[in-house]
Amino acid sequence: MSSLTLFDAPLTAAPATAKLTTAAPVVSADTLEAFRAATHKSLSYGLGLDSTALLLAILDDPVRFGIAEDFSDFSVVTGLTGFEFPDTITDVQDHVLPRLRAAGIRYAQVARAGHLEEAGVQVVSDTTNPVKVFSRGQWTLMDELEANGTVPQYSGGHRCSLKFKAFPIDRFQREQAGGQTVGKLFGYNADESKRAAEANRHQARRDKQAGTRTFALDYPLIRLGLDRKGVQGYVKERLGVAMSKSYCPVCPFSGVCSPQPDHLKRLRKYPDLAARVLRLEYVSMALNDNSSLYKDDTLHKRVIDDCNTDALGQFEARLDAEEWAVYRLQRAYTAGRRPECHTAHGKRCSKPECRDSKFKGTVYRSVKTVRTGSRAQAGAFLHNAATALDRPVEHSTDAHGAGIDRVRTRVRPDSKTYGTVEDFYVIAPAGVQDKARDGFTSVWAAMTNGQ
């Protein structure tokens, strides 16, 4: 199957397959016109199969995609999360970068320069002669997760992608365009119309805030009806290899981004990466039993079930070799608003009578490092603290198979009752930054007054 037969439909064509959740097209005629008129057009390149398929098609015939024949108005930009599988990087370096060099296409690799957006964007590479896919920038996804002591939240959707891919890419593209509208291409396939619809809603909100059209978005693979299976076949035919999938080893959606057996096989191939994610999950669950990598399961259990002894061995070796900390965790679980309050009082209401302990409100967390040292020293300190506080050391393997030691000073009577607090000491690998949610001190004082 050649690129001409695969991508021969007009730019304004509707999807060839009934993949959309609504009758509305993912791209309007007005948006397509704005895309074509933009003097700066760019592909958000995630290093994966879908965006690679789109890039290969553009290389074949840029004009069909509204891009100048000499690529003078076109660039490719990758947002570096800092935590990719090595085989993804190798595949792009070996099979994609040579094509970009041959066509003289500008390829930029950008990353967050720090935790806060105010730190800006680091341009790691920006060239028409790219030879390397960089593994990280100044601030990575794992830097942030390890500093916060938490895994990505399953309920958070694609928040990590927004922070570590969308933000640096968008900021870079807007700066390069000097404030003009940027024509942005996404490699979402025909199975991902929901992602496109959400991106359109987000873009509409951003344009409304800016008072102008900042980006004109297009999703050619969706409009042409090319699904995941079609993408895989096309890329393999063009490159001669079954290109590795691109996703973070720490992604809670790894069962979606890649079938779980394939993901576990990849973790066997890279046990060092698996061990790092296992370590992160252990710290996260030490601070919160409910904070495993997966919604109803732990990575630790899956790796054990998969008999990945290399990853488990490296994980245990890391625990023994690293500096540990004694952390103090305090959480205030405020009561939430009754459903009828939302109906009667709108988005905001501070009336105490509208709160009910059966409903979850805001959770205020504070984490502080009390002491650091070796694993044995941290354990000894916790046992001494337990004696001084006249509290037991709880060694639990219920949530995490490696076992977690805690000393509780305030215990929630019921995990489904709100308007309560908890306070405990726990040992885990060091590195979590001291942090408290805004308002924690006053909320904690009010909820513990007189206790």
Side-chain angles (χ1 to χ4, degrees), residues 115-242:
H115 169 60
L116 300 176
E117 288 190 357
E118 288 78 2
V121 172
Q122 177 195 15
V123 180
V124 180
S125 175
D126 184 6
T127 178
T128 57
N129 188 38
V131 296
K132 178 180 180 180
V133 175
F134 287 82
S135 61
R136 60 166 294 156
Q138 289 176 197
W139 185 252
T140 72
L141 170 61
M142 284 298 281
D143 290 336
E144 180 149 314
L145 294 172
E146 289 169 342
N148 290 337
T150 186
V151 294
Q153 299 303 299
Y154 190 90
S155 61
H158 296 277
R159 190 174 302 170
C160 292
S161 181
L162 291 175
K163 289 190 70 172
F164 287 89
K165 290 186 177 182
F167 166 73
I169 289 174
D170 290 358
R171 177 71 66 88
F172 176 79
Q173 289 171 332
R174 289 287 289 163
E175 288 177 352
Q176 296 303 305
Q180 298 179 38
T181 299
V182 177
K184 183 193 285 285
L185 291 165
F186 287 98
Y188 297 164
N189 67 57
D191 298 323
E192 299 179 299
S193 58
K194 289 183 179 179
R195 291 187 68 187
E198 177 56 34
N200 288 339
R201 286 191 290 269
H202 174 71
Q203 187 58 47
R205 291 192 296 268
R206 180 162 52 179
D207 289 347
K208 184 176 181 180
Q209 292 173 352
T212 185
R213 188 195 294 270
T214 53
F215 292 93
L217 312 184
D218 189 16
Y219 315 94
L221 301 185
I222 294 179
R223 293 193 296 102
L224 297 170
L226 188 65
D227 61 14
R228 185 70 174 183
K229 185 176 180 180
V231 164
Q232 291 173 327
Y234 174 67
V235 172
K236 185 173 183 179
E237 180 181 343
R238 291 297 309 279
L239 300 183
V241 296

Side-chain angles (χ1 to χ4, degrees), residues 177-431:
Q180 298 179 38
T181 299
V182 177
K184 183 193 285 285
L185 291 165
F186 287 98
Y188 297 164
N189 67 57
D191 298 323
E192 299 179 299
S193 58
K194 289 183 179 179
R195 291 187 68 187
E198 177 56 34
N200 288 339
R201 286 191 290 269
H202 174 71
Q203 187 58 47
R205 291 192 296 268
R206 180 162 52 179
D207 289 347
K208 184 176 181 180
Q209 292 173 352
T212 185
R213 188 195 294 270
T214 53
F215 292 93
L217 312 184
D218 189 16
Y219 315 94
L221 301 185
I222 294 179
R223 293 193 296 102
L224 297 170
L226 188 65
D227 61 14
R228 185 70 174 183
K229 185 176 180 180
V231 164
Q232 291 173 327
Y234 174 67
V235 172
K236 185 173 183 179
E237 180 181 343
R238 291 297 309 279
L239 300 183
V241 296
M243 188 172 175
S244 302
K245 295 180 180 180
S246 172
Y247 62 94
C248 293
V250 75
C251 183
F253 301 102
S254 57
V256 177
C257 299
S258 176
Q260 193 61 207
D262 292 349
H263 177 60
L264 292 172
K265 181 179 178 180
R266 219 168 182 188
L267 293 184
R268 289 196 298 273
K269 183 178 180 180
Y270 299 107
D272 56 327
L273 298 187
R276 188 177 181 187
V277 181
L278 286 167
R279 185 259 189 205
L280 176 69
E281 181 183 56
Y282 180 82
V283 173
S284 177
M285 295 187 70
L287 305 185
N288 183 350
D289 269 345
N290 298 316
S291 190
S292 57
L293 182 60
Y294 302 118
K295 187 176 181 180
D296 300 312
D297 200 1
T298 65
L299 175 64
H300 187 258
K301 182 179 183 301
R302 295 187 185 188
V303 171
I304 288 177
D305 291 345
D306 192 50
C307 299
N308 188 345
T309 55
D310 286 346
L312 292 168
Q314 291 194 37
F315 165 59
E316 291 293 344
R318 290 190 66 144
L319 295 188
D320 289 335
E322 287 192 30
E323 182 179 55
W324 277 54
V326 179
Y327 297 106
R328 183 184 183 186
L329 264 292
Q330 297 169 286
R331 285 191 184 86
Y333 298 84
T334 64
R337 295 166 59 193
R338 295 188 180 92
E340 56 267 28
C341 173
H342 290 276
T343 302
H345 303 149
K347 292 183 178 181
R348 296 181 181 276
C349 177
S350 58
K351 296 179 180 179
E353 59 269 26
C354 287
R355 303 278 166 173
D356 191 314
S357 61
K358 296 195 296 275
F359 300 101
K360 183 179 179 180
T362 302
V363 179
Y364 292 82
R365 185 189 88 157
S366 168
V367 57
K368 293 180 180 178
T369 299
V370 176
R371 178 69 65 88
T372 59
S374 68
R375 187 176 189 176
Q377 289 170 334
F381 182 87
L382 187 70
H383 279 77
N384 291 336
T387 300
L389 294 167
D390 194 23
R391 299 278 183 170
V393 175
E394 300 176 9
H395 178 77
S396 173
T397 57
D398 292 343
H400 196 288
I404 295 170
D405 291 346
R406 296 188 183 92
V407 174
R408 300 182 187 274
T409 58
R410 293 179 185 269
V411 182
R412 295 181 68 195
D414 182 355
S415 63
K416 295 184 179 180
T417 299
Y418 303 97
T420 59
V421 301
E422 67 176 349
D423 190 353
F424 63 86
Y425 296 87
V426 65
I427 58 172

